Amino acid sequence: MEALGGNSLWSDRFLGYHVAIGYYWILNVVFFFSPRIAYQFMELLEAHAVDTYGTFVVQNRERLAELPAPAVATSYYSSGDLYLFDDFQVSTPPETRRPDCATLLDVFTNIAIDEGEHVKTMQACQDYARIGARVVSPHMDGAHAAESREKWVRWAAEVNEAAKH
């Protein structure tokens, strides 16, 4: 959006930042009184995102298929440390989803699918809030959990080292 001039007016940036901060704190207050309602609200928001991206893909399929994917999207979906990409998916086995990401059509399709995964995650969180059943990522079996923890430890060491300089 920024490349298309979406951040050219200070008022747009100001509004965007402050609405996000207000939303964050309002949702925290809601969560304090009812985690289930906070998760349900987030589920509705994520479901709206699925509909929005899905409609966008259907209406612009041909044009999106002609345009290349931006480097940041290709990097996110196919390279680097994919730990967060894997572990915040509650309905897929570890390292099973590596979507194509050659065109903008792939990017927006992937985003819509990711938003659908967020809906499932919010549903799982509501189950926890309602019945107290612990939500465990399918990616957190013994060996994978130890490897994931090691990645976090290495990352924390890198951040601490960078902070010294």
Side-chain angles (χ1 to χ4, degrees):
M1 293 300 293
E2 289 85 5
L4 299 175
N7 68 344
S8 59
L9 296 176
W10 76 268
S11 58
D12 290 342
R13 292 190 307 274
F14 180 87
L15 183 65
Y17 289 137
H18 289 84
V19 166
I21 290 168
Y23 169 78
Y24 170 81
W25 284 111
I26 289 168
L27 205 57
N28 273 282
V29 170
V30 172
F31 185 87
F32 179 77
F33 291 103
S34 177
R36 186 188 61 75
I37 290 174
Y39 288 130
Q40 186 176 31
F41 180 79
M42 286 303 303
E43 177 191 355
L44 295 171
L45 189 69
E46 299 290 355
H48 177 69
V50 171
D51 294 340
T52 301
Y53 283 112
T55 300
F56 181 77
V57 165
V58 167
Q59 291 175 347
N60 298 284
R61 181 171 296 280
E62 293 79 23
R63 181 69 177 128
L64 292 172
E66 297 170 356
L67 299 170
V72 66
T74 303
S75 173
Y76 175 75
Y77 285 108
S78 61
S79 66
D81 182 6
L82 299 172
Y83 170 73
L84 293 176
F85 180 78
D86 278 337
D87 270 8
F88 289 95
Q89 310 292 326
V90 296
S91 65
T92 59
E95 304 204 17
T96 58
R97 187 167 174 271
R98 295 294 177 265
D100 292 332
C101 194
T103 67
L104 271 181
L105 176 61
D106 296 332
V107 171
F108 281 101
T109 300
N110 293 338
I111 292 171
I113 293 168
D114 287 348
E115 295 297 339
E117 287 294 326
H118 299 164
V119 169
K120 294 173 190 172
T121 301
M122 292 301 105
Q123 290 168 343
C125 290
Q126 287 177 69
D127 288 345
Y128 174 77
R130 186 175 34 112
I131 60 176
R134 187 169 176 225
V135 178
V136 179
S137 170
H139 307 275
M140 295 307 291
D141 60 359
H144 191 273
E147 179 184 340
S148 294
R149 177 68 183 151
E150 180 57 33
K151 287 179 181 179
W152 276 107
V153 169
R154 284 195 310 264
W155 174 79
E158 290 172 11
V159 168
N160 289 329
E161 186 62 32
K164 291 178 185 177
H165 300 288

